[in-house]
Every structure is written in C-alpha cells, then in structure tokens.
Amino acid sequence: MTSVSRQNALKIKKQSNYFSYMNSHLYQDSVLNKKLLQKNSLDLIITSPPYNIGIEYNSNTDCNDYEEYLNFSEKWIKNCYFWAKDSARFCLNIPLDKNKGGQQSVGADITQIAKKIGWKYHSSIVWNEGNISRRTAWGSWLSASAPYVIAPVELILVLYKGEWKKKHKGQNDITKQEFMDWTNGLWTFNGESKKRIGHPAPFPRELPKRCIKLFSFIDDVICDPFSGSGTTMIEAHLNQRKFIGIELDETYCSLSKKRFLETIQKEKGLFNE
C-alpha cells in the first residue's frame, strides 16, 4: 500500500478526532455516521456492541424494544460493510442468547441480519468466560414445569466480505502454538473486571489480541466501532497494526486515551505526550 493509499484509508472528519498516537486514531462520533470513514478502508473489524440488557452506559440506552435493537444493529453493521475492504474480516462479540426482558435468540438474529446486508458467514467462536456462578434464575426449581437454561458463554461471529482468502499476502506474526490453539473454536479465558477498568462492559485484552493475530497481517487497518475502554486500540498498537476507533461518549474516550498511554508506556516504552 502506498503512503497516499494509507492516508486515504485513514482519512476521517477532523472534527471527530479525539486522540491520535502514531497510527492509532480514536474518534468521538457515532457508528451510525456513514460518512465518518472512507469506503473500502478497513481490513479487520473487532467489536462488542451494546447487548440491550440494561447496562448503564453514559450515552447509550441499553434497554430498547428488541425489534428496535435489531434495527439499530442492522444500521451500524451496514456501515461496517460499507467501510470494509473486499476480503475484510469482521469479529463480532455478541451474546448467544438472552433472557432479560424475555428469551431472545440474539446470536442467530444478528447473524441473519449481517448475512442479509452482504456479510458472509465463516464460523462462530464460542467464548467460555467461566462465569457460571453469576446465574441467578432457574425458573421452576427442581421441576419440569418451566426451567430456565442459561449458557454462560458468548459468541464471536467470524464474518467476511467478498472472498475469505485474502488476495494480498502480508506479514504474519502468529506463532505455531497460537495458531493451533486459537483455530479451536472454543476459547476459554476470563472476562474483564468492570471495576478495574472503569467501564460497564469491557472485554479482556485476550479477545482482540487473538482476533488481530489470527485474522490480520502486520500493518493492516483494525477498527473497533464501539471502542469503549480502548482495549482493541491497545492490542492493535502493541501488535503493529493501524487502528481506528469510534466512541460516542467523551468519558470513555478520555478513559481510552489514559489507559492506552499508560499501557504502552508500561509494556513497550513508547510513551510520548
């Protein structure tokens, strides 16, 4: 990719630019703003959108009618498709299902929405967080009258645009052991602490790290359209990828910037004001 192509790939509205460091850029804006990013500019999208289960975000209502939630999902996933390059990948972390406010097949419904938009389905990774202790409802206790079945796992949908096999060959950085372990579609690692991070729904660094190294090359453009506490931004930078993050809430943008700079200072010694 030429320097001009790189500049075009990262050409975004200047007024939305909240923070930039080297090839990492965080924009305070809405994922519904289609004009925010250039068409065909992203190699890999990794994100965990709102789950619509009543999480208390600063700038987002997380308890909408389910049909309204699916309509919102269709709009932002369509924007991601517009921004994605041909052969881009999309790692979408969502619930398998939910029972708060009524049982809903979230994973299946969003998969169908993405396929209708044009995304092609590759596989699903099942993330076992190991949080089975948090279940609080059994329905009809010790009775077949109305038991609740709750799976303590989440999905990472692996979707792609165009062709699965990338046409250009880039530089890989995944080890043999990582490749063998991570191509097993059952991933087991703990979730992240809300209190430690200061965000109501952070995912652990292990999740974007695995997706980045397994599904992208060094120097690819990674995007998290719900950047939140900046976890994907940290892993993209530390693994030598370009990054574009979109986050609506200024408080979370500030948190991301602080956490990013502190982390790379500690882990890579690259801190510069």
Side-chain angles (χ1 to χ4, degrees):
M1 183 184 287
T2 66
S3 59
V4 173
S5 297
R6 290 193 183 99
Q7 290 173 1
N8 287 339
L10 300 174
K11 186 179 178 184
I12 309 171
K13 292 195 316 181
K14 291 183 178 179
Q15 62 265 36
S16 299
N17 189 350
Y18 184 89
F19 168 68
S20 291
Y21 181 90
M22 298 177 67
N23 287 322
S24 295
H25 305 275
L26 178 62
Y27 296 89
Q28 186 185 353
D29 211 312
S30 170
V31 67
L32 299 182
N33 180 5
K34 185 178 180 179
K35 296 180 180 179
L36 181 62
L37 306 186
Q38 295 292 302
K39 184 178 182 180
N40 301 328
S41 61
L42 305 178
D43 295 293
L44 172 63
I45 300 163
I46 305 169
T47 200
S48 183
Y51 283 7
N52 201 42
I53 55 174
I55 293 175
E56 294 184 4
Y57 296 103
N58 286 337
S59 302
N60 178 73
T61 301
D62 195 47
C63 54
N64 295 309
D65 174 81
Y66 189 61
E67 287 303 316
E68 185 178 351
Y69 173 69
L70 293 182
N71 288 336
F72 167 72
S73 298
E74 181 172 1
K75 290 176 183 177
W76 75 260
I77 291 172
K78 187 177 292 185
N79 281 354
C80 287
Y81 188 81
F82 176 80
W83 298 330
K85 296 178 182 178
D86 287 336
S87 76
R89 284 81 183 267
F90 184 13
C91 296
L92 178 53
N93 175 215
I94 52 175
L96 173 63
D97 51 28
K98 79 180 191 81
N99 65 350
K100 189 169 185 178
Q103 281 73 17
Q104 299 290 354
S105 53
V106 182
D109 294 340
I110 290 184
T111 301
Q112 289 304 311
I113 287 171
K115 289 170 69 175
K116 183 178 74 171
I117 288 167
W119 289 104
K120 296 180 181 178
Y121 177 83
H122 181 263
S123 58
S124 291
I125 296 165
V126 177
W127 171 28
N128 177 17
E129 296 182 75
N131 290 334
I132 196 168
S133 61
R134 70 183 180 184
R135 58 178 290 167
T136 58
W138 290 268
S140 56
W141 174 248
L142 297 179
S143 170
S145 64
Y148 286 1
V149 177
I150 303 173
V153 299
E154 295 188 7
L155 292 181
I156 303 170
L157 294 180
V158 182
L159 309 167
Y160 64 100
K161 180 178 179 179
E163 299 296 327
W164 174 248
K165 188 171 183 178
K166 287 185 172 291
K167 296 177 182 177
H168 78 282
K169 289 189 177 181
Q171 183 180 353
N172 295 292
D173 58 348
I174 193 167
T175 67
K176 177 181 177 181
Q177 193 60 53
E178 287 171 340
F179 188 87
M180 292 173 63
D181 290 345
W182 300 348
T183 50
N184 180 333
L186 177 60
W187 290 0
T188 301
F189 49 84
N190 291 334
E192 183 56 89
S193 166
K194 294 182 281 188
K195 179 180 283 189
R196 189 178 77 84
I197 298 299
H199 184 278
F203 54 36
R205 288 176 55 183
E206 186 69 15
L207 192 154
K209 181 182 80 172
R210 292 188 182 195
C211 293
I212 286 167
K213 296 187 73 176
L214 187 57
F215 297 119
S216 74
F217 296 123
I218 288 174
D219 212 36
D220 275 357
V221 180
I222 314 299
C223 177
D224 188 339
F226 295 93
S227 194
S229 58
T231 304
T232 307
M233 178 164 63
I234 290 169
E235 288 301 321
H237 178 81
L238 292 177
N239 289 285
Q240 303 177 69
R241 271 71 166 177
K242 301 178 179 67
F243 177 78
I244 297 173
I246 304 169
E247 174 53 52
L248 184 62
D249 189 85
E250 185 175 6
T251 299
Y252 301 149
C253 286
S254 176
L255 169 65
S256 296
K257 177 182 177 181
K258 180 175 183 293
R259 185 173 172 232
F260 173 84
L261 292 173
E262 288 177 350
T263 301
I264 65 170
Q265 178 188 28
K266 178 181 178 182
E267 298 189 18
K268 214 172 180 184
L270 294 175
F271 179 78
N272 282 307
E273 286 287 355

